[in-house]
Each structure stands twice: as C-alpha cells, then as structure tokens.
Amino acid sequence: MSEIHEDIRHFLKTEGFLNEISSLQENDSLTETGVIDSIILLQLVDFLEEKYHIEIPVEMLTPENFDTLAGISKSIMKLTQG
Amino acid sequence: MDTTICKNCILDSQIPGITINPKTGLCQHCEHYTPLSEEKKGGYLIKMDALFNSPPAGGKYDVVFALSGGVDSSYALYRLKKEYPRLNILAVQFDNSFISETSIENAQKFCALTKSTYMRLSLDQERLRDTFNKAALSTDAYPGFAKYRASDICNTCISIIKQKTIELALSTKSPFIVFAFSPGQTDAPFIQLTRPFLVWMRKLFDGNLKAMGVAEREEYLIDTRLIPTGSFDHQVTIIHPFLVWNYDKPAFKKECINVGWTDPGLKDHNSSNCLLNAFAIKNHLEKYQIHAYAYDLAALVRQGNMKRDDALKKLILNMSDASIEEVQRELNLKNK
C-alpha cells in the first residue's frame, strides 16, 4: 500500500502538482487541498494504468475511489488483484 | 539570480517549481518525458475512426463542437467534416463578451463550409464581466498545477465552456463533444463521461467559482436535472482530435486561410480570437510569475510539434498594448 502511495507522490511531485515539502496525508482530499482537478485526475489515471498494467474503468472515477491516496491505493490493489 | 532556460524546451529556472538539472541542462519535465509511441497513436486513430464512423443513433447531433473561431478550432471543424462527412455537428461559439468580430465571422463561415449548425452561446454579459473581474483579482482559486495550464481568467472561461457544452450534449442526447485543445494542453484523447465524474467535475468548478467569490454560479454549471440519476441511457465521450492527428499550427493556418478564414490581426501571439487573452496573461504573470502559455508551449516543443525559437517568441507580451488597458477598463480593474 505505502509503495503505491509513494508512486503517486512521486508522480505528483515530478509533474509539479505537489511541491517537495508537501506533507500530504493518505486521507487528505486531493481536490480540496488543491493538488489536482478533473484534468490532472485523468493524467494520474493514465500514469497508474501504465505503471500497474491495469485498465481503470471509468465507473471507478469517483471521489470515494480517487480523491485520496488511501482511496486510490485501495482501488489499485483491487484492480491488480483481480 | 541568473535565469537558466531548459536546453530542450522553454521553461526556465525563474518559473516557480521548475528546476534545471545543472548536469544535463534539462528541466524535470524534459528529463522525465516519454514520447507517445507510434503504436499508441495508431490505436487512438483506430478508436477515433470507429467512434466517428458509427456514432450511436438517437441524438439530435452526433457532435457538439466547441468552436472559438480561432485557427485550431476552425481547422479541427473543417478537417473533422472532411474526414467524417456524415457527422451531424452542432458548433457552439461561446460569447465571453471579448471575442473579436472577425472570429464570429470566421466561425459562421466555417459552419457554412462544413454544413454544421452554428450556435452562439451567450450568457449574462454583465455577470460574465464581473466573474472575469473576480478571476483576475483572485489568487489560488484553482489548484496548483492549473496555474501552469492557463490563466485564472482562461481557466474560468474554458471551464464554463466545458460545463455548457456537456450540458448541451446531455440535453440533445449527442454522443460526442469535441474540443480542439492542443497536445500541449491535454494528455487524454478520449474522456468518457460517467455520472460520478460529471457530478465531481461540476462540484470542483463550483468550488473554484466560490473561492473567487462568485455568488450566482448555477448559470455556469451543468444543469443538475440533465445529469442522469440512474444508468446512462446514452454515453457522452469527449474527444480531443489533436492528440490523434499531427499538430502543425502554421500548416493549419495556411489551410484555413485557403478556405476563407480571416486573420483578426490581434497583437496577441497566443490567441487569434479572444481580446481578453493578452490581459489574462499579464494578470497571471503579475500574480504568480508564470506565463500562462509557457507549459503548453514547452510541451509542444518537447513533443516536436513546435520549434523552440517560435515558442520563445510567443512568450513575449507587449505590456503596454492599448487593448490590455481597454480590457482592464472594461473589467473595472485599476491599472497597475
């Protein structure tokens, strides 16, 4: 789980969505803290699909699944474990 | 402090968040850049052909097309109809109260040329100007990276256009929405809209408007009554054709002029249709020290879609331009 968190943090930092000293917690809302919006969310989805060799169904793009590091990690785990 | 410009693109060390590796001379974006493979691009084309050659029946239109009347969208409309002649298109031009007369003529001309239905989308002009005033005065109404993608004023305008074109696609049961964003402005060629995603998009923009202090927001947002409550009886997909076709702006302009497009002659290097754009860039630079087109242009250079020198020229803005002062006056903003 923490490996997925780190991958996401690394992506957000590399792309400039998150600064180096940000202390984003696993249950912080990515949209409410101003880290991402709907367009950046799609870039994140693209990154996760490539990184984990998965296809994320559009139905899964909900705030519950994709607005926090914890939610995203859970969704990725679910998809990678079939 | 010395400014170092990335050896590959145009981003420089003065832009907040940009670091240039002293060993390679590259910014972090160029260092991590992976070009889109020909295989992937070919797959996008197969998918786009499949969608546009067999649009689902039942909608009033096949495509709701966001047409500004500038080079990119005029060319995209022309080419779309040329490649998929059976498409029934509603072309929507958003009147943000700062579009040039020439861009209106261009839009109407290209609709006639492509046999598309033209629609001028007008909202309350006074409220719009007040909203742009609030966008200009706001700081941090949009998330961090959105500041690099576009100015606060343009983010507001584009978001309104998105919400209203989606609303139109839902109300007319049209399956596709086309935006002529450049490959520097977006990464996703296809976006399938689901109910949760629509609700989320709406909520996010509502939050941005609220942060700016816009009180009357409903007019700018998707009408919630149109967002399906159960399963979608028709799917809406957003398509960005410039992520599928090669992007060559000078060639697009030449072809557009050949078929009747007129250059409005704006001094702005980055817009051929909107009088607000140059002021929006200036306002953004003053607030965040970020040129609103730097990331877009840098991405185009990185992808090989624009020459570096041409992109650098586009970053030059004449701050004393009379049109900038005029826009400032019209938005009731004091001159800095």
Side-chain angles (χ1 to χ4, degrees), chain A residues 29-60:
Chain A
S29 161
L30 293 170
T31 52
E32 281 169 25
T33 51
V35 178
I36 65 167
D37 63 6
S38 58
I39 295 173
I40 296 161
L41 172 72
L42 296 168
Q43 277 177 251
L44 178 61
V45 166
D46 204 34
F47 161 77
L48 294 168
E49 288 187 333
E50 294 249 331
K51 177 88 189 168
Y52 296 102
H53 309 288
I54 48 170
E55 194 167 325
I56 298 170
V58 283
E59 292 77 21
M60 272 186 92

Side-chain angles (χ1 to χ4, degrees), chain A:
Chain A
M1 196 83 118
S2 62
E3 201 180 308
I4 301 176
H5 286 185
E6 279 320 301
D7 284 341
I8 298 168
R9 277 202 184 94
H10 179 70
F11 166 80
L12 294 172
K13 283 180 181 170
T14 307
E15 294 294 321
F17 305 145
L18 199 60
N19 64 41
E20 286 298 325
I21 51 159
S22 169
S23 57
L24 187 71
Q25 301 300 305
E26 66 170 21
N27 288 310
D28 287 347
S29 161
L30 293 170
T31 52
E32 281 169 25
T33 51
V35 178
I36 65 167
D37 63 6
S38 58
I39 295 173
I40 296 161
L41 172 72
L42 296 168
Q43 277 177 251
L44 178 61
V45 166
D46 204 34
F47 161 77
L48 294 168
E49 288 187 333
E50 294 249 331
K51 177 88 189 168
Y52 296 102
H53 309 288
I54 48 170
E55 194 167 325
I56 298 170
V58 283
E59 292 77 21
M60 272 186 92
L61 295 183
T62 63
E64 292 73 31
N65 295 330
F66 274 86
D67 197 26
T68 60
L69 291 177
I72 299 172
S73 298
K74 260 189 221 162
S75 307
I76 300 301
M77 299 272 277
K78 211 184 284 177
L79 289 165
T80 49
Q81 289 165 2

Side-chain angles (χ1 to χ4, degrees), chain A residues 38 42 58-59 61, chain B residues 162-163 165-170 174-179 190-199 201-202 222 227-228 230-240:
Chain A
S38 58
L42 296 168
V58 283
E59 292 77 21
L61 295 183
Chain B
K162 277 191 198 158
Q163 297 275 321
T165 47
I166 290 171
E167 185 177 283
L168 273 165
L170 291 171
S174 307
F176 305 125
I177 297 170
V178 171
F179 291 111
F190 308 100
I191 303 167
Q192 200 182 327
L193 299 176
T194 57
R195 174 184 155 72
F197 190 60
L198 280 177
V199 173
M201 273 179 77
R202 187 185 192 283
I222 305 168
I227 300 178
S231 62
F232 257 108
D233 58 348
H234 86 284
Q235 289 287 341
V236 179
T237 304
I238 295 177
I239 300 174
H240 300 133

Side-chain angles (χ1 to χ4, degrees), chain B residues 8-228:
Chain B
N8 184 50
C9 71
I10 55 162
L11 298 178
D12 68 56
S13 54
Q14 292 284 318
I15 302 172
I18 291 299
T19 49
I20 310 287
N21 183 335
K23 285 182 191 157
T24 60
L26 299 175
C27 70
Q28 72 264 40
H29 294 280
C30 285
E31 288 208 317
H32 293 101
Y33 175 65
T34 312
L36 184 66
S37 70
E38 283 305 313
E39 191 189 353
K40 206 165 179 183
K41 203 163 180 180
Y44 290 164
L45 182 61
I46 291 168
K47 183 171 177 179
M48 192 164 83
D49 281 347
L51 292 172
F52 284 146
N53 284 325
S54 315
K60 190 170 178 191
Y61 303 98
D62 299 319
V63 173
V64 175
F65 187 102
L67 178 67
S68 71
V71 171
D72 283 3
S73 64
S74 299
Y75 174 81
L77 176 63
Y78 175 69
R79 179 150 172 200
L80 194 67
K81 192 67 181 188
K82 200 170 161 186
E83 300 208 2
Y84 309 101
R86 290 169 62 190
L87 284 179
N88 180 16
I89 302 172
L90 171 67
V92 185
Q93 184 174 40
F94 177 51
D95 183 358
N96 68 1
S97 96
F98 288 95
I99 50 173
S100 67
E101 278 306 314
T102 315
S103 73
I104 296 168
E105 287 162 22
N106 281 330
Q108 289 171 342
K109 216 182 273 179
F110 272 66
C111 281
L113 187 69
T114 58
K115 297 187 170 57
S116 303
T117 305
Y118 173 78
M119 178 184 170
R120 185 164 166 184
L121 177 67
S122 297
L123 302 175
D124 185 292
Q125 302 286 295
E126 206 174 311
R127 268 209 295 273
L128 256 183
R129 284 173 185 234
D130 184 56
T131 301
F132 293 139
N133 167 296
K134 287 188 163 66
L137 293 172
S138 72
T139 45
D140 302 326
Y142 289 93
F145 193 75
K147 294 187 185 74
Y148 294 91
R149 201 176 46 221
S151 66
D152 289 342
I153 290 175
C154 287
N155 268 324
T156 304
C157 191
I158 294 164
S159 299
I160 295 171
I161 295 169
K162 277 191 198 158
Q163 297 275 321
K164 300 324 274 183
T165 47
I166 290 171
E167 185 177 283
L168 273 165
L170 291 171
S171 68
T172 58
K173 296 195 181 301
S174 307
F176 305 125
I177 297 170
V178 171
F179 291 111
F181 291 138
S182 83
Q185 290 169 322
T186 180
D187 282 343
F190 308 100
I191 303 167
Q192 200 182 327
L193 299 176
T194 57
R195 174 184 155 72
F197 190 60
L198 280 177
V199 173
W200 200 2
M201 273 179 77
R202 187 185 192 283
K203 189 181 159 206
L204 288 175
F205 184 45
D206 189 35
N208 303 139
L209 291 169
K210 208 170 170 182
M212 283 181 228
V214 178
E216 292 181 58
R217 302 185 296 276
E218 284 302 311
E219 191 183 17
Y220 301 144
L221 300 166
I222 305 168
D223 184 340
T224 45
R225 290 167 302 182
L226 291 166
I227 300 178

